[in-house]
């Protein structure tokens, strides 16, 4: 647990095996310093390093820096960064640079050895990637995308047909690399790893061979393999450019370790038509390629994509990806897509001098590489044929790479034919047009301060863009440039514009939505669990506010991933999308929950309606107006091709409508008259689930910004929830001015009945909706509407909005002020209370009023118990994101990590874990240890419920009922069996006090939480003992606590020597349990597994053993053991937990301190390695 003081008596950290002598078990913060030894020390000694054994290699690198300016690895080596690494990481890091050190003429000079090297050594790889790929990774992440939708320069018909460029059939090839997640990268593979991987991939190749789309054969050059081919056949395949050459002859790969164990684990899959090949065991685990002679680049690209989908679908454990860098490859030059798309093209004129110098001079500015027919540094063909490919691999999509090849070939062909590359019919507008637009925008900056697009235009940023991106970027600003009175002034043209032009859109979004995106990402969430201000029964019933039935409406927008956004759609795109959506609408019409009809205003459409019917629907507010009359949409291109591809789906009850082809592809809305806001909200959610489930390719999302919409004002949720409410008193002067004055501080917008800038109703009826769309959840929006209406109603009735009994006002300003004053006073007195120390008054003041009390509640435990170590608990799974400005520095302080350069990644796979024995077995007997009591535990919280600190008694009871189905499934499973016992009064599995105490004494059940002041202050012990219980397996070695500090505390324990056994059982059990939980368990994209207490976040894991250390504890204390353990990143405790006695025979509890920014597999390996050194110290003592 760790959030309370060292006197906390709740047993949340240690679970003893049944039969271990009982003692009180306590929990306090544990140090999170991580120092995992690189390898286990032999039993007879535990030498202590007094000098950096890597000093010679470091000195070599520093000497090379001055001599080899083009060696990126050497140039990006930072001695201060190296010194900051833990000792066990230093040699692993330096191994990445072996090739560049031993071959200083290298260009890149480094290789990753493990899939997680790019994250573990991000402080090195990030600047190296930026330097090589010429990208700014502070504002960009790589996104893999094979979809051509929205790709700049793509021909209108989508066909990359070389014959249209006047080219003959050419040899076309597209290849990419993949690495299996469950193995080290080639540079660190043992011979056995390579052999094992070839065996594992054999099943994949067999499946391909049986597939009539592929067929063919697999050939191996691994001695003893069933498909082994002799030297003659191998050479024949090499000569035919089907198989790769002997890697052992390559000094760069030798130095890196990639050619190790040659030729074991090497082979090649060859399709029946010899046009699809997979190399196994070259620079990456897999090099996958398609080739054919022809003119249609799409054909070879599409076949590769289909083949990759098949292959990746068959690989157990999947292939390695990095969340920011994309496909993981051994060499950083290939990371991202791992793709190279190329053609062999004759350029006799440009190579008339016998060299490719002129071709290179023309190709380089086009982003193309020119090579000889055998690769880099090989001769061109005798007829002037060269190999042409785009240079970019990273921060560019797969579809963009092959399109770039097509566009570049057009320009090279023009130059070859005697023109110039500039003269070729490329897709980008002339530079002069760009310059004119830029000049206009710069002139508008001074005159139109409220035009966000104009104000956020940065000339330096524009100049930094590639030339082909500049016109595409400027098109986003067309509306604001041509209509300078715009508020936002920009529209995205492609779903990926928000990422491609993040340097513009991010500050524009921050300015409009008033959010800080350096510390926040948008998270979509329709679940009301944990929403502040939600009535206890969860019902947003307007009648409880004294309101009559009102017209209620909730709408949202969606855009189909496979099409450009409306601003860039051609008329054909619009027509095609209407055809595609026809299947969705037909399905809705056949569904009795929806029914209805689809009407189209697209000439020639089967469901076309005439002008009279269209106008009737417009007048009834069912259909949207003629977009061609809107100057803003016209300038953006959104109204283009009107009325083609436009229509409207209308449900049978006319209360569910989908507009097709308006500002977004889809505008989805539900409306009804009533008082229960949940009804209209829930129907919209159900309808969206149905609709999105039917759309081929899905709808567009951004990983940080949420639902993608054309206009940045709607991004995030795309949602507007509103009601029409009569406010005759507030509008007595005939205007909505007073209503707006009251509504604005509540985060509400007031409009006329026809929308912005339209009149209010004759009876004072206005349209009310929350202003926020972004960095707020869907559930929070509709709750904010409910709470705001309560305050507006109070003001209308003659009171004031402040006086209304609504939670959203941040209720109780005086109470908040008092808490803040207490916290500020504690800062000086309690330097070890992390929550108090990380409280920043300026940050608190920056929060919306409704968030302030929710934030302060997180600190209640540390405020009321100032001797706390951590002093805070999350109340909702999204608190770590909502209050990231607080939790991030608190996590950094406690866990001693820098979260500006690191994210937590959960990983139970031992592949690549430093110090793991070669056979993968963490066998304590090899360390000379007897059978020990071993246990591994972790925590989980269900996504659909608040965290324990904010759960009502009913929440707890409901969760126990929901988990009952999970426990019943475990009980029926012969691998688990056992029973569930509850201490919740009235539960079917209720046990009396005597049985409960028996389970507590046996360390199977947790103690009475109501006795814990820290948990009481946090609210975690609330409602005791309701909703509390324990699942116990038949062998009593697998236990799940329900309703303790986290929803679930899941643990495995057994006596033995094989740590893998207890670890693997826990992993298998968690997979089963999580697979049964409706809605899943809570995760944070950067912080990992969400736990109530920040001390446990990340893995939530504690792995420990009880080990006798009679020599180190000969003085009757654990002081010597702690002194040795601490530098190893281990914690030493008594048998009952922190601050409890050690065993009479010197037995202590040992566990790694780290939970966060370390993987599950690394934690249990660190325990094993540390035990080896402790044992050596014990034997020497």
């Amino acid at each position: 647990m760790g959030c309370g003081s060292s006197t906390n008596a709740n047993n949340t950290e240690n679970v003893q095996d049944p039969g271990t002598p009982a003692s009180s078990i306590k929990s306090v913060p544990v140090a999170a310093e991580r120092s995992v030894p690189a390898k286990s020390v032999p039993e007879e000694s535990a030498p202590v390093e007094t000098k950096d054994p890597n000093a010679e290699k470091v000195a070599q690198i520093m000497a090379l820096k001055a001599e080899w300016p083009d060696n990126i690895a050497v140039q990006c080596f930072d001695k201060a960064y190296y010194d900051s690494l833990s000792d066990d990481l230093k040699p692993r890091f330096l191994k990445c640079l072996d090739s560049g050190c031993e071959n200083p003429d290298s260009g890149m000079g480094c290789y990753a050895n493990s899939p997680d090297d790019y994250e573990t050594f991000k402080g090195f790889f990030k600047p190296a990637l930026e330097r090589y790929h010429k990208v700014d990774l502070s504002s960009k992440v790589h996104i893999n995308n094979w979809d051509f939708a929205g790709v700049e320069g793509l021909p209108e018909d989508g066909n990359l047909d070389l014959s249209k460029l006047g080219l003959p059939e050419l040899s076309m090839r597209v290849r990419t690399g993949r690495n299996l997640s469950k193995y080290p990268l080639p540079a660190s593979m043992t011979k056995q790893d390579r052999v094992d991987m070839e065996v594992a991939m054999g099943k994949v190749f067999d499946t391909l061979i049986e597939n009539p789309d592929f067929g063919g054969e697999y050939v191996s050059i691994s001695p003893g393999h069933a498909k082994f081919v002799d030297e003659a056949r191998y050479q024949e395949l090499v000569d035919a450019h089907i198989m790769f050459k002997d890697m052992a002859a390559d000094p760069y790969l030798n130095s890196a370790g990639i050619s190790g164990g040659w030729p074991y684990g090497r082979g090649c899959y060859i399709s029946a038509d010899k046009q699809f090949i997979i190399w196994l065991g070259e620079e990456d685990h897999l090099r996958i390629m398609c080739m054919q002679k022809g003119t249609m680049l799409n054909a070879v690209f599409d076949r590769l994509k289909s083949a990759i989908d098949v292959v990746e679908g068959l690989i157990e454990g999947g292939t390695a990806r990095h969340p920011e860098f994309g496909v993981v490859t051994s060499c950083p030059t290939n990371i991202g897509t791992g793709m190279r798309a190329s053609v062999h093209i004759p350029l006799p004129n440009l190579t008339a001098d016998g060299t490719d110098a002129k071709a290179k001079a023309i190709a380089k500015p086009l982003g193309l590489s020119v090579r000889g027919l055998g690769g880099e540094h090989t001769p061109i063909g005798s007829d002037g044929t060269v190999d042409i490919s785009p240079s970019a691999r990273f921060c560019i999509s797969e579809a963009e790479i092959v399109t770039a090849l097509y566009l570049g070939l057009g320009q090279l062909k023009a130059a070859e034919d005697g023109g110039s590359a500039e003269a070729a019919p490329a897709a980008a507008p002339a530079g002069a047009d760009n310059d004119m637009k830029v000049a206009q925008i710069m002139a508008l900056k001074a005159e139109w301060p409220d035009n966000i697009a104009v104000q956020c235009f940065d000339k330096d940023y524009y100049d930094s863009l590639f030339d082909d991106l500049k016109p595409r970027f400027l098109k986003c600003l067309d509306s604001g440039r041509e209509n300078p009175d715009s508020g936002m002034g920009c529209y995205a043209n492609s779903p990926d514009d928000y990422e491609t032009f993040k340097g513009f859109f991010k500050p524009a979004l921050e300015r409009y939505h008033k959010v800080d995106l350096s510390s926040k990402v948008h998270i979509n969430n329709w679940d009301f669990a944990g929403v502040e201000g939600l009535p206890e029964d969860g019902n947003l019933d307007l009648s409880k506010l004294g309101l009559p039935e009102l017209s209620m409406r909730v709408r949202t927008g969606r855009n189909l991933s496979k099409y450009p956004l409306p601003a860039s759609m051609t008329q054909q795109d619009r027509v095609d999308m209407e055809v595609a959506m026809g299947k969705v609408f037909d399905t809705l019409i056949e569904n009795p929950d929806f029914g209805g009809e689809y009407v189209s205003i697209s000439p020639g459409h089967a469901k076309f309606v005439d002008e009279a019917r269209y106008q009737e629907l417009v007048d009834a507010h069912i259909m949207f107006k003629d977009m061609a009359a809107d100057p803003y949409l016209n300038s953006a291109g959104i109204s283009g091709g009107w009325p083609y591809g436009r229509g409207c789906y209308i449900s049978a009850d006319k209360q569910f409508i989908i507009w097709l082809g308006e500002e977004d592809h889809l505008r989805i809305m539900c409306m009804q008259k009533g008082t229960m806001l949940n009804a209209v909200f829930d129907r919209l959610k159900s309808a969206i689930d149905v609709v999105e489930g039917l759309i081929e390719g899905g709808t567009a999302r951004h990983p940080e910004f949420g639902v993608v919409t054309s206009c940045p004002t709607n991004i995030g949720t795309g949602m507007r929830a509103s009601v029409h409410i009569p406010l005759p008193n507030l509008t007595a002067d005939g205007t909505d001015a007073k209503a707006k004055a009251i509504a604005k501080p509540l985060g509400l917008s007031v409009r006329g009945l026809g929308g912005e800038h339209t009149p209010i109703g004759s009876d004072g009826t206005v349209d009310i909706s929350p202003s926020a769309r972004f960095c707020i959840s869907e559930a929070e929006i509709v709750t904010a509407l409910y709470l705001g209406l309560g305050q507006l109603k109070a003001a209308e009735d003659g009171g004031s909005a402040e006086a209304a009994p609504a939670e959203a006002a941040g209720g109780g300003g005086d109470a908040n002020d008092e808490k803040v004053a207490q916290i500020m006073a504690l800062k000086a007195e309690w330097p070890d209370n992390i929550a108090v120390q990380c409280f920043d008054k300026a940050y608190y003041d920056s929060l919306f009023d409704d968030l302030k009390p929710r934030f302060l509640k997180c600190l209640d435990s540390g405020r009321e118990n100032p001797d706390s170590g951590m002093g805070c608990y999350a109340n909702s799974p999204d608190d770590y994101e909502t209050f990231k400005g607080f939790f991030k520095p608190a996590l950094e302080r406690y866990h001693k990590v820098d979260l500006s350069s690191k994210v937590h990644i959960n990983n139970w796979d031992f592949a690549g874990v430093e110090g793991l024995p070669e056979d993968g077995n963490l066998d304590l007997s090899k360390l000379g240890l007897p059978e020990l009591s071993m246990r591994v535990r972790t925590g989980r919280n269900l996504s659909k419920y608040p965290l324990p600190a904010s759960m009502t008694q009913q929440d707890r009871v409901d969760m126990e009922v929901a988990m009952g189905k999970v426990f019943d499934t475990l009980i029926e499973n012969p691998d688990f069996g056992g029973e569930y016992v509850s201490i919740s009064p009235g539960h079917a599995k209720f046990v009396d006090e005597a049985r409960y105490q028996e389970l507590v004494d046996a360390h199977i059940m947790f103690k009475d939480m109501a006795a814990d002041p820290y948990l009481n202050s946090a609210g975690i012990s609330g409602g005791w003992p309701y909703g509390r219980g324990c699942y116990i397996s038949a062998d009593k070695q697998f236990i799940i606590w329900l309703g303790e500090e986290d929803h679930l505390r899941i643990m495995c324990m057994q006596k033995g020597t094989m740590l893998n056994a207890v670890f693997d059982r826990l992993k298998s059990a968690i997979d089963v349990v999580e697979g049964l939980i409706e809605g899943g368990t809570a995760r944070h994209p950067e912080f990992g597994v969400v736990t109530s207490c920040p001390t446990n976040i990340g893995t939530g894991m504690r792995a420990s053993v009880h080990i006798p250390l009679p020599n180190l504890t000969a003085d009757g204390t654990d002081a010597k053991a702690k002194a040795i353990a601490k530098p190893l990143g281990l914690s030493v405790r008594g048998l009952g937990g922190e601050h409890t006695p050690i065993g009479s025979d010197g037995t202590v509890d040992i566990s790694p301190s780290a939970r966060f920014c370390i993987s599950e597999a690394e934690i249990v390996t660190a325990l094993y390695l540390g035990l080896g050194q402790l044992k050596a110290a014990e034997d020497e003592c």
Side-chain angles (χ1 to χ4, degrees):
M1 182 173 90
C3 293
S5 85
S6 59
T7 61
N8 182 358
N10 189 54
N11 57 330
T12 59
E13 285 292 344
N14 279 53
V15 180
Q16 298 187 6
D17 296 331
T20 302
S23 56
S24 65
I25 300 178
K26 303 184 181 181
S27 166
V28 298
V30 293
E33 296 174 3
R34 182 181 172 214
S35 177
V36 182
K39 56 180 111 176
S40 60
V41 175
E43 299 164 23
E44 65 274 6
S45 66
V48 178
E49 297 285 3
T50 56
K51 178 186 174 184
D52 183 358
N54 309 307
E56 185 178 337
K57 194 179 278 191
V58 172
Q60 182 188 1
I61 294 171
M62 297 305 289
L64 291 172
K65 272 176 110 58
E67 299 177 54
W68 297 93
D70 297 329
N71 183 318
I72 290 176
V74 163
Q75 293 305 315
C76 289
F77 179 86
D78 180 333
K79 181 64 162 59
Y81 170 72
Y82 169 79
D83 290 337
S84 75
L85 296 174
S86 58
D87 288 345
D88 64 304
L89 287 180
K90 287 176 179 175
R92 176 176 154 193
F93 169 57
L94 291 175
K95 186 178 184 312
C96 295
L97 285 81
D98 278 353
S99 188
C101 288
E102 295 177 16
N103 304 280
D105 60 338
S106 300
M108 189 74 230
C110 57
Y111 290 90
N113 289 267
S114 167
D116 64 355
D117 277 356
Y118 289 101
E119 186 61 32
T120 303
F121 305 121
K122 200 174 186 178
F124 165 77
F125 277 111
K126 187 174 178 181
L129 289 170
E130 289 182 315
R131 186 159 179 163
Y132 180 85
H133 292 284
K134 299 179 176 62
V135 294
D136 175 8
L137 292 175
S138 66
S139 62
K140 183 174 280 193
V141 295
H142 177 89
I143 296 176
N144 294 93
N145 190 0
W146 294 72
D147 194 333
F148 286 102
V151 171
E152 190 73 19
L154 187 75
E156 192 157 303
D157 61 4
N159 291 326
L160 304 176
D161 185 353
L162 301 180
S163 67
K164 292 182 180 175
L165 305 177
L167 290 168
E169 286 195 345
L170 301 177
S171 172
M172 308 177 295
R173 176 180 292 227
V174 189
R175 61 89 166 156
T176 189
R178 291 295 187 272
N179 288 283
L180 280 66
S181 297
K182 65 186 289 188
Y183 293 96
L185 293 183
S188 281
M189 294 182 88
T190 63
K191 182 195 285 188
Q192 191 60 48
D193 286 333
R194 301 181 196 277
V195 170
D196 290 347
M197 187 174 73
E198 186 174 30
V199 171
M201 283 300 300
K203 302 170 188 174
V204 177
F205 298 137
D206 287 346
T207 304
L208 290 177
I209 291 164
E210 292 167 4
N211 185 328
D213 291 338
F214 300 102
E217 65 176 328
Y218 175 73
V219 297
S220 173
I221 56 170
S222 185
H225 192 279
K227 304 292 178 67
F228 178 75
V229 294
D230 62 16
E231 179 65 24
R233 177 77 198 286
Y234 166 62
Q235 195 55 50
E236 176 191 319
L237 293 170
V238 170
D239 295 341
H241 304 288
I242 289 175
M243 187 64 178
F244 48 100
K245 296 180 182 177
D246 182 352
M247 298 164 69
D250 188 308
Y252 304 93
L253 298 183
N254 280 343
S255 296
I258 289 173
S259 55
W262 180 269
Y264 286 89
R266 272 66 174 212
C268 179
Y269 163 77
I270 311 157
S271 67
D273 61 5
K274 296 188 171 54
Q275 294 183 355
F276 171 52
I277 291 171
I278 303 177
W279 289 349
L280 177 75
E282 203 237 16
E283 183 180 295
D284 291 304
H285 293 157
L286 307 177
R287 188 62 60 87
I288 308 170
M289 53 203 109
C290 286
M291 64 282 291
Q292 68 181 71
K293 192 159 186 177
T295 62
M296 191 67 75
L297 279 173
N298 306 67
V300 69
F301 179 81
D302 292 346
R303 190 181 193 198
L304 180 65
K305 176 63 171 72
S306 300
I308 286 175
D309 288 344
V310 171
V311 170
E312 288 196 307
L314 294 169
I315 292 172
E316 184 182 341
T319 58
R321 302 282 172 120
H322 186 278
E324 296 171 49
F325 304 156
V327 168
V328 167
T329 54
S330 292
C331 184
T333 62
N334 290 320
I335 201 167
T337 59
M339 176 177 280
R340 185 173 184 271
S342 66
V343 300
H344 287 179
I345 179 175
L347 298 174
N349 298 332
L350 292 176
T351 59
D353 62 356
T355 74
D356 55 14
K358 286 184 184 174
K360 282 184 172 176
I362 292 170
K364 189 174 181 180
L366 304 176
L368 299 179
S369 296
V370 180
R371 303 183 182 188
L373 298 187
E376 198 75 33
H377 310 302
T378 62
I380 63 175
S382 57
D383 60 350
T385 296
V386 292
D387 178 290
I388 301 289
S389 66
S391 309
R393 310 266 195 279
F394 184 53
C395 291
I396 182 174
S397 74
E398 288 82 355
E400 287 172 323
I401 288 175
V402 76
T403 304
L405 174 60
Y406 175 82
L407 296 172
L409 288 171
Q411 300 194 57
L412 265 179
K413 176 68 165 59
E416 166 70 14
D417 290 346
S420 68
E422 290 75 13
D433 185 38
N434 294 347
D435 294 343
M436 179 188 71
K437 287 185 177 182
V438 170
Q440 282 180 298
I441 293 169
M442 296 305 288
L444 291 171
K445 268 182 164 311
E447 298 178 55
W448 297 94
D450 296 329
N451 183 319
I452 290 177
V454 163
Q455 293 304 315
C456 289
F457 179 86
D458 180 332
K459 181 63 162 59
D460 290 339
Y461 170 72
Y462 169 79
D463 289 338
S464 75
L465 295 174
F466 289 117
D467 287 345
D468 64 310
L469 288 180
K470 288 176 178 175
R472 177 176 153 192
F473 170 56
L474 291 174
K475 186 178 184 310
C476 295
L477 285 81
D478 278 352
S479 188
R481 180 178 55 79
E482 295 179 12
N483 303 280
D485 60 339
S486 300
M488 189 74 230
C490 57
Y491 290 90
N493 288 266
S494 166
D496 64 356
D497 277 356
Y498 289 101
E499 187 60 33
T500 303
F501 305 121
K502 199 174 186 179
F504 165 77
F505 277 111
K506 187 174 178 180
L509 289 170
E510 290 181 316
R511 186 159 178 163
Y512 179 85
H513 293 285
K514 299 181 177 62
V515 294
D516 175 8
L517 292 175
S518 67
S519 63
K520 185 173 279 194
V521 296
H522 177 89
I523 296 175
N524 293 92
N525 190 0
W526 294 73
D527 193 334
F528 285 102
V531 171
E532 190 73 18
L534 186 74
E536 193 156 302
D537 63 4
N539 292 326
L540 304 176
D541 186 353
L542 302 180
S543 68
K544 291 182 181 176
L545 305 177
L547 290 168
E549 287 195 344
L550 299 178
S551 171
M552 308 177 295
R553 176 179 293 227
V554 189
R555 62 86 165 157
T556 188
R558 291 294 187 271
N559 288 283
L560 280 66
S561 297
K562 64 186 291 188
Y563 294 96
L565 293 183
S568 282
M569 293 182 89
T570 63
Q571 182 170 304
Q572 190 60 48
D573 286 334
R574 301 181 196 277
V575 170
D576 290 346
M577 186 174 74
E578 187 175 29
V579 170
M581 282 300 301
K583 302 171 189 174
V584 177
F585 298 137
D586 288 345
T587 304
L588 290 177
I589 292 165
E590 292 167 4
N591 185 328
D593 291 337
F594 301 104
E597 64 175 327
Y598 176 73
V599 297
S600 174
I601 55 170
S602 185
H605 191 280
K607 304 291 178 68
F608 178 75
V609 294
D610 60 18
E611 179 65 25
R613 177 77 199 284
Y614 166 61
Q615 195 57 49
E616 174 191 319
L617 293 170
V618 170
D619 294 341
H621 303 288
I622 290 175
M623 186 64 178
F624 49 100
K625 297 179 181 177
D626 182 352
M627 298 165 68
D630 187 310
Y632 304 93
L633 299 183
N634 280 343
S635 295
I638 289 174
S639 56
W642 179 268
Y644 286 90
R646 271 69 173 211
C648 179
Y649 163 76
I650 312 157
S651 67
D653 62 5
K654 296 187 170 58
Q655 294 183 357
F656 171 51
I657 291 171
I658 303 176
W659 289 349
L660 177 75
E662 203 237 14
E663 184 181 292
D664 290 305
H665 293 157
L666 307 177
R667 185 65 57 89
I668 308 170
M669 53 204 109
C670 285
M671 64 282 290
Q672 67 182 70
K673 194 159 186 176
T675 62
M676 192 66 76
L677 279 173
N678 305 68
V680 69
F681 179 81
D682 291 346
R683 189 180 193 200
L684 180 65
K685 176 63 171 72
S686 299
I688 286 174
D689 288 345
V690 171
V691 171
E692 288 196 308
L694 294 168
I695 292 172
E696 184 181 342
T699 57
R701 302 281 172 121
H702 185 278
E704 295 169 50
F705 303 157
V707 168
V708 168
T709 55
S710 292
C711 185
T713 63
N714 289 321
I715 202 167
T717 59
M719 176 177 279
R720 185 173 184 271
S722 66
V723 301
H724 286 180
I725 179 173
L727 299 174
N729 297 330
L730 292 176
T731 59
D733 62 356
T735 75
D736 57 12
K738 285 184 184 174
K740 282 183 172 175
I742 292 170
K744 189 174 181 181
L746 304 175
L748 299 179
S749 296
V750 181
R751 304 182 182 188
L753 299 186
E756 199 74 34
H757 310 301
T758 62
I760 63 176
S762 58
D763 61 350
T765 295
V766 292
D767 178 290
I768 301 289
S769 66
S771 310
R773 311 265 195 279
F774 183 53
C775 292
I776 181 174
S777 75
E778 289 81 357
E780 287 171 325
I781 288 175
V782 76
T783 305
L785 175 60
Y786 174 81
L787 297 171
L789 288 171
Q791 300 194 58
L792 266 180
K793 175 68 165 58
E796 167 68 17
D797 291 345
S800 69
E802 290 75 13
E807 295 92 330
D814 291 343
N816 293 347
D817 294 343
E818 184 181 339
K819 287 185 178 182
V820 170
Q822 282 180 294
I823 293 169
M824 297 305 289
L826 291 171
K827 269 182 164 313
E829 298 178 54
W830 297 93
D832 297 329
N833 183 318
I834 290 176
V836 164
Q837 294 304 315
C838 289
F839 179 86
D840 181 334
K841 180 63 162 59
Y843 171 72
Y844 169 80
D845 290 339
S846 74
L847 295 174
F848 289 117
D849 286 344
D850 64 306
L851 287 179
K852 288 176 179 175
R854 176 176 154 193
F855 170 56
L856 291 175
K857 187 177 184 311
C858 295
L859 286 80
D860 277 352
S861 189
R863 179 179 55 78
E864 295 179 11
N865 303 280
D867 59 340
S868 300
M870 190 73 229
C872 57
Y873 291 90
N875 288 266
S876 166
D878 64 356
D879 276 356
Y880 289 101
E881 187 60 33
T882 303
F883 304 121
K884 199 173 186 179
F886 165 77
F887 278 110
K888 187 174 178 180
L891 289 170
E892 290 182 316
R893 186 161 179 161
Y894 180 84
H895 293 285
K896 299 179 176 63
V897 294
D898 175 8
L899 292 175
S900 67
S901 62
K902 185 173 281 193
V903 296
H904 178 90
I905 297 176
N906 293 94
N907 190 359
W908 295 71
D909 193 333
F910 286 102
V913 172
E914 191 72 22
L916 186 75
E918 192 157 303
D919 62 4
N921 291 326
L922 304 176
D923 185 354
L924 301 180
S925 68
K926 292 182 180 177
L927 304 178
L929 290 168
E931 287 195 346
L932 300 178
S933 171
M934 310 177 294
R935 74 285 313 279
V936 189
R937 65 87 166 152
T938 189
R940 291 296 187 271
N941 288 283
L942 280 65
S943 296
K944 66 185 291 189
Y945 294 96
L947 293 183
S950 280
M951 293 182 89
T952 63
Q953 183 171 304
Q954 191 60 48
D955 286 334
R956 300 181 196 278
V957 170
D958 290 346
M959 186 174 74
E960 187 175 28
V961 171
M963 283 299 300
K965 302 170 187 173
V966 177
F967 298 138
D968 287 346
T969 304
L970 291 177
I971 291 165
E972 293 166 4
N973 185 328
D975 291 338
F976 301 103
E979 64 176 327
Y980 176 72
V981 297
S982 173
I983 56 171
S984 186
H987 192 280
K989 305 291 178 66
F990 179 75
V991 295
D992 61 17
E993 178 65 24
R995 177 78 198 285
Y996 166 61
Q997 196 56 49
E998 175 190 320
L999 293 170
V1000 171
D1001 294 342
H1003 305 287
I1004 289 175
M1005 186 65 176
F1006 49 101
K1007 294 183 180 178
D1008 182 353
M1009 298 165 69
D1012 188 307
Y1014 304 92
L1015 299 182
N1016 281 343
S1017 295
I1020 289 174
S1021 55
W1024 179 268
Y1026 286 90
R1028 271 68 175 212
C1030 179
Y1031 164 77
I1032 312 157
S1033 68
D1035 62 4
K1036 295 187 172 57
Q1037 295 183 354
F1038 171 52
I1039 291 172
I1040 303 176
W1041 288 350
L1042 177 74
E1044 202 242 13
E1045 183 183 294
D1046 291 305
H1047 293 156
L1048 307 177
R1049 186 63 58 88
I1050 308 170
M1051 49 206 117
C1052 286
M1053 65 281 292
Q1054 67 182 69
K1055 195 159 185 178
T1057 62
M1058 191 66 76
L1059 278 174
N1060 305 69
V1062 70
F1063 179 81
D1064 292 345
R1065 190 180 192 199
L1066 180 66
K1067 177 62 171 71
S1068 299
I1070 286 174
D1071 288 345
V1072 171
V1073 171
E1074 289 196 307
L1076 294 168
I1077 292 172
E1078 184 181 342
T1081 58
R1083 302 283 171 119
H1084 186 279
E1086 295 169 50
F1087 304 156
V1089 168
V1090 168
T1091 55
S1092 291
C1093 185
T1095 62
N1096 290 321
I1097 202 166
T1099 59
M1101 176 177 280
R1102 185 174 185 272
S1104 66
V1105 301
H1106 286 179
I1107 177 175
L1109 298 174
N1111 297 332
L1112 291 175
T1113 59
D1115 62 357
T1117 74
D1118 56 13
K1120 286 184 184 174
K1122 282 183 172 176
I1124 293 169
K1126 188 174 181 182
L1128 304 175
L1130 299 179
S1131 295
V1132 180
R1133 305 180 182 191
L1135 297 187
E1138 196 77 29
H1139 308 297
T1140 63
I1142 63 175
S1144 57
D1145 61 349
T1147 296
V1148 293
D1149 180 282
I1150 301 289
S1151 66
S1153 309
R1155 310 266 195 279
F1156 184 52
C1157 292
I1158 181 175
S1159 75
E1160 288 81 356
E1162 288 172 323
I1163 288 175
V1164 76
T1165 305
L1167 174 60
Y1168 175 82
L1169 297 171
L1171 288 170
Q1173 300 199 51
L1174 266 178
K1175 174 66 165 60
E1178 165 71 14
D1179 291 347
E1180 283 187 352
C1181 190

